[in-house]
Amino acid sequence: MRSEILRTLRNAGDSFVSGQTLCERAGVTRQAVWKNIAQLKANGFVIESVPNKGYKLVASPDALYPDDIKSRLADGSVCRKIESLEVTDSTNIRAKQLAEFGEEEGTLIIAEQQTAGKGRRGRQWESEPGTGIYMSLVLRPAINPVHVPCITLVTALAVAKAIKKTCGADALIKWPNDIVLGGKKICGILAEMSSEMNFVNYVVTGIGVNANNRHFPEEIEKTATSICLQTGRKTDRAQLAACIVNCFSQYYNKFKESKNLMPFIDEYDSLLANKDKEVRIFYGMEEDSGKTETGMAKGINKDGALVVNTKNGTEYIMSGEVSVRGLYGYV
Ligand code: BTN
């Protein structure tokens, strides 16, 4: 109900909305509207109220307030429920715990801070409070487990598109799971699954966005940046988070039908930072040990593999099997 009030106020832009209209939209009494407006103000929303005119939303807080995100979700959104946490160890861990206990598809866990944010390959994800977006979505796709890696690429597409829509920035995808801006990383994606041989129990797709960070620890400052540092503008985190979920929903609903990435190849390749660049393929878990190969990245195929032309011919690199590093610099 509170999200309906927020949605109505936001859609009205600079105009006032009468108490009566809010009652009708939210399906509640005048008193309930008044109480909810008071609650929203207490949560940092600036709402002007003028007798005989009604209410106007003047400003929203810099917070990942669940009703705010809900109020921005589009029809057809995969998100059914939002759990918002001030601090958690990892939104992926929380989402997996819920999924183990039968949580349905569409629950979004979002946090202001993570104390044990997880990156790929056992790495840690720097999760400074109040500057980033840390969120994980519980999914239950009726697909074969072999197609689950495609969800990382679908998520990456959604993030790149949402950054373009809300921040106007041309973010690129570093296959398979990084989003880059200005040649540095602004987002990482960690999809995890629980499955049987031919059946997916659940997938959790976790997204960490460096939105408004100003500084990074020394170990990652050469490769990490934030949207704010790159664009010079502060990111509206709630707007971006909701837009990512909306974009993801569109791609994901389509993917559940196609069960492969055929419909997305052109769009993905147009955003691929590695495209027509020389890349080094690291076979095995460690990037500094084992066999490596260089080649020219040509794009992705319908299974989400990176197509690389090497001296031995065309190789199809599956996510998870190898790591791809540009020969020169991070991308
Ligand atoms: C990577 O680039 O290595 C993947 C990073 C994924 C980070 C996000 S933040 C939200 C979610 N919760 C986690 O613990 N990790 C993912």
Side-chain angles (χ1 to χ4, degrees), residues 161 165 245-255 264:
K161 184 163 184 183
K165 273 180 122 173
V245 175
N246 287 336
C247 292
F248 176 80
S249 301
Q250 283 185 355
Y251 290 118
Y252 178 66
N253 289 334
K254 208 165 171 183
F255 168 70
F264 312 106

Side-chain angles (χ1 to χ4, degrees), residues 170-237:
D170 289 312
L172 296 175
I173 301 168
K174 175 176 175 258
W175 181 91
N177 72 312
D178 291 355
I179 308 296
V180 297
L181 200 52
K184 289 183 170 188
K185 181 163 171 172
I186 49 163
C187 168
I189 294 157
L190 177 65
E192 299 184 82
M193 78 162 155
S194 155
S195 73
E196 289 159 32
M197 220 37 158
N198 295 309
F199 177 79
V200 175
N201 293 324
Y202 64 81
V203 175
V204 163
T205 186
I207 304 165
V209 184
N210 300 332
N212 292 321
N213 314 50
R214 299 249 166 221
H215 309 280
F216 288 91
E218 218 179 307
E219 321 85 77
I220 56 170
E221 70 181 0
K222 284 204 173 72
T223 53
T225 186
S226 70
I227 301 174
C228 174
L229 284 175
Q230 290 297 315
T231 61
R233 289 183 303 276
K234 198 168 173 197
T235 306
D236 180 334
R237 291 183 300 141

Side-chain angles (χ1 to χ4, degrees), residues 159-172:
V159 175
K161 184 163 184 183
I163 289 171
K164 176 73 181 174
K165 273 180 122 173
T166 60
C167 313
D170 289 312
L172 296 175

Side-chain angles (χ1 to χ4, degrees), residues 78-308:
V78 70
C79 179
R80 302 251 152 274
K81 189 168 142 191
I82 301 177
E83 180 176 292
S84 155
L85 303 159
E86 200 49 42
V87 49
T88 186
D89 46 4
S90 147
T91 56
N92 267 34
I93 293 178
R94 175 67 186 148
K96 285 195 293 179
Q97 279 165 351
L98 290 175
E100 288 291 337
F101 285 96
E103 193 71 22
E104 285 178 15
E105 170 157 293
T107 294
L108 180 75
I109 313 297
I110 190 156
E112 287 286 355
Q113 184 187 0
Q114 298 185 120
T115 53
K118 298 200 304 171
R120 288 176 103 217
R121 295 167 183 255
R123 294 191 194 108
Q124 136 192 0
W125 182 257
E126 190 59 35
S127 310
E128 190 185 280
T131 57
I133 299 171
Y134 316 111
M135 63 183 187
S136 305
L137 196 50
V138 176
L139 305 170
R140 293 194 183 272
I143 57 173
N144 190 291
V146 296
H147 296 130
V148 167
C150 293
I151 292 181
T152 297
L153 281 76
V154 167
T155 308
L157 260 184
V159 175
K161 184 163 184 183
I163 289 171
K164 176 73 181 174
K165 273 180 122 173
T166 60
C167 313
D170 289 312
L172 296 175
I173 301 168
K174 175 176 175 258
W175 181 91
N177 72 312
D178 291 355
I179 308 296
V180 297
L181 200 52
K184 289 183 170 188
K185 181 163 171 172
I186 49 163
C187 168
I189 294 157
L190 177 65
E192 299 184 82
M193 78 162 155
S194 155
S195 73
E196 289 159 32
M197 220 37 158
N198 295 309
F199 177 79
V200 175
N201 293 324
Y202 64 81
V203 175
V204 163
T205 186
I207 304 165
V209 184
N210 300 332
N212 292 321
N213 314 50
R214 299 249 166 221
H215 309 280
F216 288 91
E218 218 179 307
E219 321 85 77
I220 56 170
E221 70 181 0
K222 284 204 173 72
T223 53
T225 186
S226 70
I227 301 174
C228 174
L229 284 175
Q230 290 297 315
T231 61
R233 289 183 303 276
K234 198 168 173 197
T235 306
D236 180 334
R237 291 183 300 141
Q239 185 194 19
L240 178 58
C243 191
I244 291 173
V245 175
N246 287 336
C247 292
F248 176 80
S249 301
Q250 283 185 355
Y251 290 118
Y252 178 66
N253 289 334
K254 208 165 171 183
F255 168 70
K256 282 200 289 187
E257 279 174 24
S258 61
K259 294 188 171 31
N260 65 46
L261 297 176
M262 197 60 121
F264 312 106
I265 291 179
D266 288 347
E267 188 178 359
Y268 191 97
D269 285 353
S270 72
L271 296 170
L272 183 62
N274 318 86
K275 188 158 161 56
D276 295 323
K277 292 225 171 98
E278 204 166 28
V279 293
R280 188 188 296 276
I281 308 163
F282 296 85
Y283 299 85
M285 290 302 284
E286 294 302 323
E287 291 182 7
D288 52 0
S289 66
K291 194 180 153 219
T292 74
E293 185 69 82
T294 59
M296 191 70 81
K298 299 311 292 177
I300 59 160
N301 72 2
K302 70 174 184 19
D303 302 315
L306 187 70
V307 182
V308 183

